[in-house]
Amino acid sequence: MRRLFEPLEIGGVKIKNRIMMAPMCMYSAEDGVVGAFHMAHLGARAVGGTGLIIVEATGVSQEGRISPYDAGIWNEKHVEAFKPIVEFCKSCGSAMGIQLAHAGRKASVNLPWLREEPLKRGEGAWQTLGPSPIPFDVGYPVPKEMDNGDIEKVIRDFAVGAMNADKAGFDVIEIHAAHGYLINEFLSPISNKRKDKYGGTLNNRARLLLEVIDAVKRGNRLRNKPIFVRISVVDWIDGGFDIKSAVILAKMLKESGVSLIDCSSGGIAQDAKMDVYPGYQLGFAKEIREKADIAVSGVGLITEPEFADFIINSGIADMVVIGRELIRDPHWPLHAAQKLGTDIEWPKRYLRAKL
Ligand SMILES: Cc1cc2nc3c(=O)[nH]c(=O)nc-3n(C[C@H](O)[C@H](O)[C@H](O)COP(=O)(O)O)c2cc1C
């Protein structure tokens, strides 16, 4: 058995292999309600053998969505829509996670296939929020500098989102603190210029994230469910968030009961200088795993089964996150097992096609 296909138990949840499907926005929900597309899309990856599926960035509030077509989890309609999808994917043997998100100053944009520009007045644009009144880029609106009331609402929204996710049957909650969205905007000195207890030192910039985690754990049964946090380990900008801060943050997250850090990077500003190649973020994952002694997942251009197996085998990460390659090939885990010569269980209905 190759290590890629060894099961993992994390926070009481059993995951049949080390393959995690990356959260990927599909911009296909109506009023936040997921539907037939999501059943087909997520269901196919469950049939294809994915160990843990993390559902796309899902808004904890209407204004927290990137676009009007993002999935949402702030009301009962959202819970009911997710239930059959979660149930089906779990019946295929996948564990199910959901990424809870607030887009902050990068909210209120149109669809990526329409160039992902900020919505204009008359196109349904809404007031964006941020730690400081600094726009993401030229052409983006100035976000409202959040006051204490706004911050308390966001914390409550994450707690309600987590409770709803629990009701919908999700096993894992992933908090989106990466890619330049709201929580990342608080963490990064590039976007957070606050003078109050939410700005300045790393402890202060991490306060919102830690309060969100506390609220998520306090209110409900999630106390016993694993919480993952996706962070941008580096901003790729001088004077930005860096690996040193990320290691300290990871220690704080471990202390607060987080089970795994999903190690991504970038997204806080357009002019970041990223050096992108297969596995380009794995060094960050390894360093956080070693120095903060916490489980991590590694992501970024991982496409080859041998490489994915090496990542687990060499102790770089506890899980590998596959994004675009799983879009190209929903059965990537089944194919990876074949390529690695590991016999894993196939979906019964597909057995006659097993090579
Ligand atoms: C279509 C698409 C949508 C994405 N949406 C999200 C998202 O909702 N949340 C997130 O954290 N990352 C998102 N990402 C980033 C992926 O999760 C992943 O980190 C990135 O694609 C790198 O992995 P890959 O090279 O395996 O695709 C998205 C990427 C793609 C291609």
Side-chain angles (χ1 to χ4, degrees), residues 20-27 54-58 66 70 99 101 112-113 174-179 181 230-231 262-265 276-281 298-303 321-328:
M20 190 195 297
M21 175 174 168
M24 286 182 284
C25 285
M26 290 289 117
Y27 306 101
I54 303 284
V55 169
E56 66 191 79
T58 300
I66 303 169
D70 292 23
Q99 189 183 51
W113 47 87
E174 177 166 285
I175 293 167
H176 198 351
H179 301 169
Y181 296 113
R230 178 169 260 207
I231 61 169
D262 187 2
C263 300
S264 190
S265 71
V276 176
Y277 53 87
Y280 64 104
Q281 296 168 140
V299 61
L301 288 172
I302 301 165
T303 57
V321 182
I322 312 287
R324 285 161 291 182
E325 193 62 12
L326 258 173
I327 291 187
R328 287 184 282 265

Side-chain angles (χ1 to χ4, degrees), residues 97-166:
I98 182 169
Q99 189 183 51
L100 301 184
H102 190 300
R105 67 177 184 172
K106 287 169 81 173
S108 187
V109 299
N110 64 18
L111 297 165
W113 47 87
L114 298 176
R115 293 198 310 280
E116 203 167 335
E117 284 172 345
L119 291 167
K120 300 185 182 61
R121 240 185 287 162
E123 289 178 338
W126 62 88
Q127 173 66 60
T128 58
L129 298 174
S132 303
I134 308 167
F136 169 60
D137 198 13
V138 180
Y140 274 73
V142 178
K144 178 189 177 218
E145 181 172 18
M146 290 169 71
D147 59 25
N148 284 343
D150 297 321
I151 291 176
E152 280 160 23
K153 177 177 183 305
V154 163
I155 294 168
R156 268 197 318 275
D157 288 341
F158 269 94
V160 170
M163 252 187 285
N164 285 342
D166 181 48

